[in-house]
Amino acid sequence: ISIESGGDADAFNPTTKAAGLCQITPVCLEDFNQVTGDNVEEKDLKDPSINVAIGDWYMNQRIPRLLEAAHVPDNEMTRLIAYNWGVGKLRKWFEQLPSPVRKYLKKYEDMKV
């Protein structure tokens, strides 16, 4: 929240259309509504409790599932990169890493379990 909005519940990025404390984008909101069956509207993102709940869901539930599906290790750094840059871009970058590097990262992740 400090990095995303500086703690400003009314923060809005006109370029990405990200709103609120966690800077929820329209794409993230649409994904949230589709996956959860909720019907949160963009105007609702100014409510700190709603915004933080969606940010928490995205960071701690949705991103890990998307990383797993993309065969990208799930760790603090990949979650942060995915939150900021997007899972699709992270996946493309990860796929460009040489195979030995990907295997090395997988071994590291497997050790943490």
Side-chain angles (χ1 to χ4, degrees):
I1 289 173
S2 295
I3 295 170
E4 292 294 328
S5 66
D8 180 2
D10 293 322
F12 181 76
N13 182 323
T15 304
T16 64
K17 309 285 190 247
L21 291 171
C22 296
Q23 289 293 278
I24 304 300
T25 63
V27 171
C28 179
L29 179 59
E30 182 180 340
D31 190 36
F32 175 79
N33 283 330
Q34 186 175 29
V35 171
T36 65
D38 287 340
N39 192 28
V40 178
E41 297 179 16
E42 287 184 32
K43 65 178 177 60
D44 300 326
L45 295 177
K46 289 191 176 200
D47 180 322
S49 62
I50 292 172
N51 196 283
V52 170
I54 294 172
D56 180 67
W57 169 83
Y58 193 60
M59 178 68 83
N60 295 305
Q61 294 181 41
R62 187 64 171 154
I63 287 176
R65 289 186 185 119
L66 294 170
L67 292 175
E68 181 180 5
H71 305 290
V72 174
D74 176 18
N75 58 51
E76 185 176 331
M77 293 309 287
T78 56
R79 285 190 195 193
L80 288 170
I81 293 167
Y83 193 92
N84 181 260
W85 199 29
V87 175
K89 289 178 184 172
L90 174 60
R91 179 186 50 79
K92 288 178 186 175
W93 170 82
F94 186 76
E95 289 172 351
Q96 293 175 354
L97 291 173
S99 179
V101 174
R102 288 194 310 271
K103 288 178 183 175
Y104 179 87
L105 292 172
K106 170 107 176 74
K107 285 181 183 179
Y108 175 77
E109 278 304 302
D110 290 347
M111 287 174 58
K112 291 178 19 177
V113 175

